[in-house]
Amino acid sequence: MINRRNLLAASAAASLVTPFAGFTAARAQGAAGPIFRFGLVADPQYAPVVPNLRMNRYYAHSLWKLSAAIDELNKHELTFVATLGDIIDRHWESFGHVLPLYDQLKHPRFFVLGNHDFDVAADYLGSVVRNAGMPKAYYDFAGGGYRFIVLDGNDVSTFAPPRGDARRELAAERLAALKAKGAANAQSWNGSLSDAQFTWLTGTLAKARAAGEKVIVMGHYPIYPANIHNLWDAERIVELLTAQDHVVAYFCGHNHAGNFGEVKGKYFVNLCGMVDTPDTTAYAVVEVHADRLEIKGFGREPSRVLKI
């Protein structure tokens, strides 16, 4: 049956194939202004529930915040807009309220899935990726001399794999080992990459190098600086990324306060959560220049200039 949700999913999936379809040779050469621009949103975390005043999270307010952000993003010439996880806070029905807002977005859209996107009934866990219009939970796409790599930090976790999946048992083992070490990020609401995904990441980085592409990685979970919100296997990912001279930056959400770090000229940018505060938003437009990234922050998100 064809309905609004199916059409939304099909549109989102199609955007994975041709995000740079309107990209021209003149723009690629950077003759005037940036080579290209893209938008970022982190943690809308919508749910039709009362605010959590202790955590300063206003879940229902994210509908108007996201709608206003889309109105602003539509005023910019963007190659795509990515949401860095936690589209919802809880309940399968919340997707039906927030995903249709993206119909108003004039640009291709990409999703990274976060831990809260799997806070749904067990019967729906296997449908979250499809519901967001994603062919896979981790993937890559390229254009403008860049390859964008989207990671799935829920891959090995205690909450995202369907019941009976071996990754749940592996996640319990990894979490227990981290707790035994007293690791700050040994939290049940974090996760990690499977070895298969890590091998894929290594190969995709090599593919980008062979093609002469720079790399920007996007994930839900931070990996640097050290923080309670970081992926369980953050250290091996940081080690891999910082050893690659063609990697430029890693963008993420999850830590709603935001964060920033730099290692060997690689930037780790943790965007602020949109869901926080009753009336202040948070999102960004990133301009990609030959020698720098210019991040224009809106609301709580700070602006930055990152030299390449």
Side-chain angles (χ1 to χ4, degrees):
M1 177 183 295
I2 297 176
N3 55 35
R4 179 183 177 87
R5 173 56 53 77
N6 292 338
L7 288 174
L8 174 65
S11 174
S15 73
L16 296 179
V17 180
T18 58
F20 284 80
F23 197 76
T24 66
R27 289 167 62 199
Q29 293 297 322
I35 304 172
F36 62 91
R37 303 177 182 87
F38 60 94
L40 291 175
V41 176
D43 301 272
Q45 212 163 312
Y46 166 77
V49 298
V50 298
N52 184 325
L53 300 181
R54 180 181 62 83
M55 301 184 73
N56 199 26
R57 293 181 182 174
Y58 292 77
Y59 309 103
H61 293 207
S62 287
L63 283 188
W64 69 257
K65 288 184 183 181
L66 184 58
S67 182
I70 288 173
D71 286 345
E72 176 62 33
L73 292 170
N74 281 341
K75 298 175 184 177
H76 298 260
E77 184 183 354
L78 305 177
T79 305
F80 64 87
V81 174
T83 300
L84 300 174
D86 284 358
I87 307 164
I88 64 166
D89 179 73
R90 70 195 89 163
H91 305 151
W92 181 257
E93 293 77 12
S94 295
F95 283 119
H97 298 165
V98 69
L99 285 179
L101 294 181
Y102 287 91
D103 286 342
Q104 304 303 316
L105 189 63
K106 297 178 180 178
H107 316 295
R109 79 293 308 267
F110 293 87
F111 290 113
V112 180
L113 295 177
N115 52 310
H116 282 277
D117 295 318
F118 291 90
D119 194 357
V120 297
D123 289 346
Y124 292 108
L125 287 174
S127 300
V128 173
V129 173
R130 175 192 56 77
N131 193 48
M134 301 164 63
K136 288 189 62 176
Y138 59 90
Y139 55 92
D140 64 293
F141 58 94
Y146 273 76
R147 183 160 298 273
F148 289 84
I149 299 176
V150 176
L151 298 182
D152 173 24
N154 310 297
D155 195 356
V156 177
S157 66
T158 60
F159 49 82
R163 289 176 179 174
D165 192 302
R167 290 174 296 170
R168 283 198 175 227
E169 183 178 350
L170 177 58
E173 294 173 358
R174 289 183 177 181
L175 180 56
L178 283 173
K179 286 183 175 179
K181 295 178 182 178
N185 63 331
Q187 308 292 338
S188 61
W189 28 263
N190 293 331
S192 57
L193 307 191
S194 63
D195 290 341
Q197 184 180 172
F198 188 81
T199 298
W200 170 85
L201 170 60
T202 302
T204 305
L205 289 169
K207 179 173 67 174
R209 178 188 294 278
E213 298 164 336
K214 293 184 174 67
V215 171
I216 289 176
V217 183
M218 297 186 290
H220 178 61
Y221 301 88
I223 57 175
Y224 184 86
N227 189 273
I228 64 171
H229 297 89
N230 285 14
L231 277 173
W232 295 337
D233 52 348
E235 291 182 2
R236 72 168 176 169
I237 301 171
V238 171
E239 183 178 2
L240 175 63
L241 297 184
T242 56
Q244 315 288 325
D245 57 10
H246 59 312
V247 170
V248 174
Y250 178 92
F251 289 97
C252 65
H254 193 50
N255 176 6
H256 294 200
N259 209 345
F260 177 81
E262 180 184 352
V263 180
K264 300 179 181 178
K266 320 301 178 187
Y267 301 102
F268 298 85
V269 185
N270 185 162
L271 272 70
C272 298
M274 177 176 278
V275 70
D276 296 69
T277 81
D279 53 11
T280 307
T281 190
Y283 59 99
V285 168
V286 181
E287 292 190 347
V288 179
H289 297 259
D291 62 346
R292 68 194 186 280
L293 300 181
E294 292 190 6
I295 303 173
K296 180 181 180 181
F298 293 80
R300 295 168 51 242
E301 186 59 41
S303 296
R304 309 177 191 272
V305 176
L306 310 178
K307 295 187 179 301
I308 301 174

